[in-house]
């Protein structure tokens, strides 16, 4: 894949006025102020890592989606929209909303009812220590890699804003995120994510309006892009086997993206699940991802559509020696937004990157402290000791993220980089999790082999593709099929391993497997109104996704 051309090198410089800088300054002061305000509430490790399990669903739901609104969402999906067209909406309507509903309706009772503190801890209790250790190590590695992507994207924009060298911008951005997480722990991250969500919307709305106005509305945009090919403006066109849609074929989209990648990310990625675990009871925990599914369904209109419009509005986008696809959003900001509005938009862009990085850092420090340090290095210490370890781990995680930020600089489309990471790391975890939850007789050691074999097959598929041994339509199509191969191989490995590995007795599986769930005592006996049903709201989110597919096809 071609090396990325930085915004500065490509000649992109955002022209901010004093008013724009003033808005940025005010925002940053608010972020730090929230950290100081919440500092006094952090007394225990549970306060630092899980907000004391005390937050209502509207807070955790907004934080859940805001944590996802990082570099992959704003820059990455706009880049994919420019590169692949409207087919990128599959990431939302089949590749996100169904999995988020499944998490809320089916899986959160297991997470919350069993009172586990992390996803790896669930696998520890379901399988054995080696499954737990491998999962924890895979997660901390993926967390710092993904945090690095958000950090790189944030620094690249700061480079464009102020002309700061990329390395200096990366370090400055990392230290800022570090400061407010250290002050208030997960609560600081979550409350900042709530504020960041609305700031992000304030930045995207004017961009949507300008992009559609300049291209003649949604119908005008699609009509003008018809020269790019049918697959560019119709999400399911050319997705048959042997078709021409570079996004992939329908098997890869439905099973690779819609099941393997999507369910793996949304149901086992602790950076997201951690927000639901911080809810005050099981009912609020179940509603958390479902509340988040509603804004997730409409976000393509703020990312994918502007990315497609950038093909018409930004000459040479994605061409050799010019702006990369990842530069689509900043380029549109610079060209069309006036003073003041530009400041709000850039603030929203920076807020998105900080939310994404903070989510990965806050989940990294929890898994490292609880699942690795407490279990394998220094068990049996007082809670105050683990609180100190968590703060130190936060510092270490941020500085590792600084190093991994430079890896992301080598990708022309950072969304492709993200998807490759998900196929390597999240899919094998999902294999162990979903089979362990629904198959009671899965052996103690089977989860370990599912993780190892699934990872090897996913990574092996990517490696063979990069070496030209096997071929796919695009990098995106490779991640879809790599996820399918990884899931199938991991599942088969678990079945074979279960032949020689005895399952845990039922007494040890209560709260961990289907049919033996344990309810949260705080809400087990409470009757909730029908209009607060997670299932009802989940069905509503699915219906909206279907209607949006219909709308985008006939527009």
């Amino acid at each position: 894949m071609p090396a990325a051309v930085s915004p500065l090198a490509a000649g992109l410089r955002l022209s901010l006025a004093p008013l724009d800088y003033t808005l940025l300054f005010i925002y940053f002061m608010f972020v730090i102020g929230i950290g100081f305000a919440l500092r006094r509430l952090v007394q225990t490790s549970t306060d630092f890592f899980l907000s004391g399990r005390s937050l209502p669903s509207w807070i955790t739901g907004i934080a859940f989606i805001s944590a996802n609104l990082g570099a992959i969402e704003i820059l990455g999906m706009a880049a994919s929209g420019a590169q692949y067209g409207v087919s990128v909406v599959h990431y939302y309507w089949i590749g996100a909303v169904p999995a988020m509903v499944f998490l809320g309706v089916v899986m959160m009772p297991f997470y919350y009812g069993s009172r586990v503190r992390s996803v790896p801890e669930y696998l520890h209790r379901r399988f054995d220590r080696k499954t737990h250790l491998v999962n924890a190590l895979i997660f901390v590695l993926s967390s710092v890699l993904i945090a690095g992507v958000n950090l790189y994207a944030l620094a690249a924009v700061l480079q464009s804003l102020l002309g700061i060298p990329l390395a200096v911008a990366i370090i400055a951005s990392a230290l800022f995120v570090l400061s407010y997480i250290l002050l208030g722990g997960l609560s600081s991250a979550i409350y900042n994510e709530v504020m960041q969500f609305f700031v992000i919307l304030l930045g995207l709305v004017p961009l949507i309006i300008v992009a559609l106005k300049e291209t003649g509305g949604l119908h005008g945009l699609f009509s003008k892009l018809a020269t790019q090919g049918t697959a560019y403006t119709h999400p399911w066109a050319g997705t048959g086997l042997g078709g021409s849609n570079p996004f992939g074929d329908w098997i890869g989209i439905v099973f690779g993206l819609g099941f393997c990648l999507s369910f793996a990310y949304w149901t086992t990625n602790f950076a997201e699940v951690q927000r639901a675990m911080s809810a005050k009871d099981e009912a609020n925990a179940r509603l958390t991802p479902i509340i988040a599914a509603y804004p997730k369904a409409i976000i393509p209109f703020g990312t994918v559509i502007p990315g497609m419009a950038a093909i018409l509005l930004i000459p040479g986008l994605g061409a050799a020696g010019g702006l990369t696809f990842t530069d689509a959003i900043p380029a549109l900001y610079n060209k069309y937004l006036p003073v003041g509005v530009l400041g709000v938009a850039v603030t929203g862009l920076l807020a998105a990157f900080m939310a994404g990085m903070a989510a990965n850092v806050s989940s990294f420090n929890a898994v490292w402290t609880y699942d690795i340090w407490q279990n394998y290095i220094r068990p049996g210490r007082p809670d105050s000791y683990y609180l100190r370890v968590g703060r130190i781990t936060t510092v270490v995680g941020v500085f590792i993220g600084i190093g991994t930020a430079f890896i992301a600089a080598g990708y022309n489309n950072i969304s492709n980089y993200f998807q490759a990471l998900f196929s390597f790391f999240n899919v094998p975890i999902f294999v162990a999790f979903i089979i362990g939850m629904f198959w009671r007789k899965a052996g103690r050691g089977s989860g370990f082999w599912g993780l190892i074999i699934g990872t090897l097959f996913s990574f092996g598929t990517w490696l063979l593709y990069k070496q030209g041994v096997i071929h796919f339509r695009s990098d995106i199509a490779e991640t879809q099929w790599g996820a399918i191969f990884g899931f199938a191989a991991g599942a088969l490995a678990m079945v074979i391993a279960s032949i020689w590995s005895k399952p845990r007795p039922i007494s040890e599986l209560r709260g961990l497997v289907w049919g033996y769930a344990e309810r949260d005592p705080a809400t087990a006996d409470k009757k909730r109104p029908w209009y607060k049903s997670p299932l009802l709201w989940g069905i509503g989110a699915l219906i909206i996704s279907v209607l949006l597919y219909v709308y985008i096809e006939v527009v």
Side-chain angles (χ1 to χ4, degrees), residues 373-528:
W373 196 269
Q374 187 177 33
N375 274 281
Y376 300 99
I377 300 176
R378 290 289 187 272
R381 299 298 178 91
D383 183 75
S384 59
Y385 171 80
Y386 296 114
L387 178 58
R388 289 196 303 272
V389 170
R391 294 186 186 277
I392 294 171
T393 301
T394 303
V395 177
V396 173
V398 167
F399 278 93
I400 295 175
I402 291 173
T404 60
F406 292 98
I407 298 176
Y411 277 74
N412 188 34
N413 183 340
I414 56 174
S415 179
N416 292 344
Y417 176 59
F418 264 109
Q419 297 305 319
L421 293 179
F422 295 156
S423 68
F424 300 161
F425 299 128
N426 291 73
V427 171
I429 295 171
F430 177 59
V431 173
F433 200 103
I434 201 71
I435 291 180
M437 177 180 290
F438 287 99
W439 188 31
R440 180 176 59 83
K441 294 185 179 180
R444 292 173 184 263
S446 63
F448 170 80
W449 290 108
L451 288 173
I452 296 298
I453 300 301
T455 301
L456 289 176
F457 268 75
S458 293
F459 181 75
T461 303
W462 175 84
L463 191 62
L464 291 174
Y465 167 68
K466 288 298 182 182
Q467 296 300 316
V469 178
I470 56 178
H471 301 279
F472 296 96
R473 300 183 187 187
S474 63
D475 290 350
I476 286 181
E478 183 281 321
T479 60
Q480 295 167 4
W481 279 97
I484 292 174
F485 295 151
F487 183 91
L492 181 61
M494 289 187 67
V495 172
I496 294 174
S498 295
I499 298 174
W500 291 280
S501 179
K502 292 182 178 180
R504 286 183 177 273
I506 289 295
S507 59
E508 296 179 9
L509 294 178
R510 297 197 178 278
L512 302 173
V513 297
W514 186 259
Y516 296 90
E518 292 185 353
R519 300 299 305 277
D520 174 27
T523 58
D525 298 323
K526 292 183 179 179
K527 290 186 177 181
R528 296 176 64 82

Side-chain angles (χ1 to χ4, degrees), residues 214-234:
E214 292 293 322
T215 56
L218 200 59
H219 179 74
L221 172 64
F222 278 39
S223 298
K224 293 173 182 177
L225 289 172
T227 56
Q228 302 285 330
T230 305
Y232 199 85
T233 54
H234 294 274

